[in-house]
Amino acid sequence: FHFSKDEPTALVQSEGGPCAVLAPVQAFILKSLLSETVGNNWREVDVDKCNELLVQAACDILTQASEHNGGRYMVVHMSNDVRNPTSTNSVLANGEEPLVENSSSTELIETSAKRQKLEHEHFHAQLRLLPLERIEEVEAFYFERIETLRETFGVLLLLYSVISTKGLEQIRSEMNDPTEPLIDGTYGYGSQSLINLMLTGRAVGHVWDHDQDVGGLKLRGIDRQSEVGFLALLEHLRYCEVGSFLKNPKHPVWVMGSETHLTVLFSLERRLVSPETPSEVARRVFKSFDPEGNNFISAVLLQDVLRALELVSEAEYVEIMTKKLDAENLGIILLNAFMEEFFPEEKQSTPDTFTLFHYNGLPRSCPDGRVVYQEGNAVLLECDMKCVLESNPMLTCLQTKWPNIEVQWLSGVTPSLN
């Protein structure tokens, strides 16, 4: 993990692949940074503070991963004698265990493929597993050995720590298909299970709320409101459905997923994640009965919607309301008509205008190759209409959260999701 020289708290991603770890860590860095008193100089941070934010992010992610194993932590790090590659007798202190059995030293290998295999085997032979009981001990370890995160292999060491803390069997039990790799063997992309593990502590394969039963097959989703959120570009194509738990996290920070990359969106505006008002709950529940996004439901579903909202749902009352809301007997109930009848006065808690920031860790995807937070002024238009622009993936992705949003980016260039 290393930070941008142009933006002290922004992590830099050198190559494609590790964004499934980097983007969630960046999201938790921003969560911690924005949770503190934010003044005009929130972007001016020294090296020690950056290290503190990085350690806090790692600890937040490990804490979530530890919830299903009794709160025990497994920190994976490099052996102290890693500078002596021929040594096979590392001293293991404090109950440390080798993650894999050490292999004997090997003569210099000639071919590239063999050298790669040797480096791979040697690297894993140097890994050590340190069991710790309290997150304060994990924090102290990382502060004392910050190079575990900041130097070569830091991303991999944190990933191994998360997996070891969570436990392999628990991860397999949460995945839809335990044989599916967490990292694609061809392109090196992280799977949705890996992204969810880093974001929420659970390696489930879907991003909707709760579990869904599809033809008798139980497909596992997100089980509670997350600390930081997730938005997916592919949602507008109906390839996936991001639920309320990820769209409305506890902090105004969202990892954004395109087809090939992960970036991070955030805001200083806390009202973007304020608790839902009754009318916002009603709108969300209504739309859960409208999976096609038509802004209407079949009239026969009205009773189910009222029951889900714990409103009066007796048959006689439902029949009266159906005739009122579907006066032309078309067999449908419009969202607007439903809201005007049951929640006529209530305003939304989301402000009409707010500032957004976007992070992309790949220098080649940033203007002038500088990894900095791109600032934009957002406005929520009054109409419910939205325009899907294939040429503007950023706006398309934002509209899965705010359907009527428009953003003016201060640089004049729309940030890239790739």
Side-chain angles (χ1 to χ4, degrees):
F1 294 97
H2 64 280
F3 291 97
S4 168
K5 67 181 187 300
D6 300 303
E7 190 78 70
T9 58
L11 294 170
V12 176
Q13 180 178 339
S14 302
E15 301 293 340
C19 56
V21 176
L22 280 170
V25 170
Q26 180 68 59
F28 277 96
I29 285 173
L30 290 165
K31 185 214 88 168
S32 295
L33 180 63
L34 303 181
S35 296
E36 302 170 1
T37 303
V38 177
N40 293 329
N41 60 346
W42 62 272
R43 296 169 80 162
E44 299 169 14
V45 177
D46 61 23
V47 173
D48 289 341
K49 182 61 179 179
C50 286
N51 287 340
E52 181 186 324
L53 290 167
L54 178 60
V55 170
Q56 184 59 54
C59 290
D60 285 348
I61 291 169
L62 286 167
T63 297
Q64 292 187 146
S66 73
E67 290 179 0
H68 298 278
N69 71 356
R72 195 177 190 217
Y73 302 91
M74 295 289 188
V75 177
V76 178
H77 64 97
M78 301 290 285
S79 163
N80 288 330
D81 70 343
V82 71
R83 291 182 179 80
N84 179 9
T86 60
S87 171
T88 59
N89 300 309
S90 305
V91 177
L92 306 184
N94 302 322
E96 288 179 335
E97 309 163 12
L99 196 61
V100 296
E101 289 301 316
N102 205 339
S103 57
S104 59
S105 59
T106 313
E107 297 298 321
L108 189 64
I109 305 294
E110 294 148 6
T111 69
S112 167
K114 285 184 178 178
R115 187 180 298 115
Q116 220 170 14
K117 186 171 187 295
L118 171 63
E119 290 171 354
H120 177 274
E121 289 179 350
H122 175 67
F123 166 69
H124 285 90
Q126 299 297 333
L127 296 183
R128 298 293 177 265
L129 196 60
L130 178 62
L132 297 170
E133 296 294 330
R134 298 182 304 117
I135 194 62
E136 291 81 8
E137 295 175 282
V138 178
E139 188 176 52
F141 172 87
Y142 280 134
F143 275 127
E144 187 177 326
R145 296 182 60 169
I146 191 65
E147 71 277 2
T148 302
L149 297 173
R150 292 299 304 267
E151 293 185 2
T152 308
F153 310 124
V155 172
L156 204 51
L157 292 173
L158 177 60
L159 175 58
Y160 282 4
S161 297
V162 172
I163 290 173
S164 299
T165 295
K166 178 76 175 178
L168 294 177
E169 290 307 314
Q170 184 64 36
I171 289 176
R172 290 193 185 103
S173 72
E174 291 175 354
M175 295 173 66
N176 289 332
D177 179 5
T179 64
E180 174 200 357
L182 290 177
I183 299 174
D184 180 83
T186 304
Y187 300 106
Y189 302 146
S191 70
Q192 190 64 52
S193 290
L194 175 56
I195 296 167
N196 287 346
L197 175 62
M198 297 298 294
L199 286 177
T200 71
R202 296 178 73 238
V204 296
H206 299 281
V207 289
W208 52 54
D209 293 343
H210 304 299
D211 299 340
Q212 292 195 11
D213 190 298
V214 179
L217 188 64
K218 183 181 179 182
L219 301 178
R220 306 186 73 170
I222 307 301
D223 65 344
R224 62 186 167 185
Q225 185 185 29
S226 54
E227 293 291 323
V228 297
F230 182 77
L231 302 175
L233 176 61
L234 294 178
E235 183 172 13
H236 90 280
L237 296 174
R238 310 284 184 192
Y239 286 162
C240 67
E241 174 198 341
V242 182
S244 179
F245 289 144
L246 285 174
K247 279 187 181 170
N248 301 294
K250 295 178 182 177
H251 302 270
V253 182
W254 296 265
V255 170
M256 302 181 78
S258 72
E259 302 96 326
T260 60
H261 189 40
L262 296 174
T263 58
V264 182
L265 179 81
F266 65 100
S267 178
L268 309 185
E269 178 54 79
R270 298 291 307 175
R271 287 181 295 169
L272 293 179
V273 291
S274 57
E276 289 180 302
T277 64
S279 66
E280 288 170 333
V281 172
R283 191 174 289 267
R284 173 171 56 80
V285 169
F286 187 99
K287 289 188 173 184
S288 72
F289 288 88
D290 172 29
E292 299 299 319
N294 298 316
N295 285 335
F296 65 79
I297 60 170
S298 169
V300 298
L301 293 174
L302 179 60
Q303 186 174 31
D304 293 333
V305 173
L306 293 173
R307 189 180 294 122
L309 290 169
E310 298 182 352
L311 298 174
V312 178
S313 58
E314 279 76 13
E316 297 82 359
Y317 176 76
V318 172
E319 186 176 347
I320 294 170
M321 294 311 303
T322 300
K323 289 178 180 177
K324 181 177 182 181
L325 296 174
D326 182 22
E328 298 181 23
N329 202 26
L330 299 175
I332 61 173
I333 307 292
L334 296 175
L335 171 61
N336 285 347
F338 178 85
M339 296 301 296
E340 286 172 12
E341 176 65 32
F342 293 100
F343 301 90
E345 300 296 331
E346 193 146 9
K347 295 181 180 179
Q348 292 190 342
S349 59
T350 304
D352 292 332
T353 60
F354 48 91
T355 301
L356 290 174
F357 295 89
H358 182 258
Y359 153 87
N360 189 329
L362 285 171
R364 66 171 179 262
S365 299
C366 300
D368 304 320
R370 297 168 62 241
V371 176
V372 297
Y373 302 137
Q374 300 292 326
E375 184 175 351
N377 295 320
V379 57
L380 299 184
L381 306 175
E382 290 188 8
C383 64
D384 282 335
M385 298 296 291
K386 68 177 180 179
C387 176
V388 175
L389 298 173
E390 298 297 337
S391 60
N392 193 339
M394 168 63 75
L395 185 61
T396 301
C397 190
L398 291 175
Q399 286 175 340
T400 65
K401 162 71 175 166
W402 300 284
N404 49 349
I405 193 172
E406 288 285 348
V407 185
Q408 292 291 327
W409 297 97
L410 269 57
S411 67
V413 179
T414 301
S416 172
L417 294 182
N418 293 316

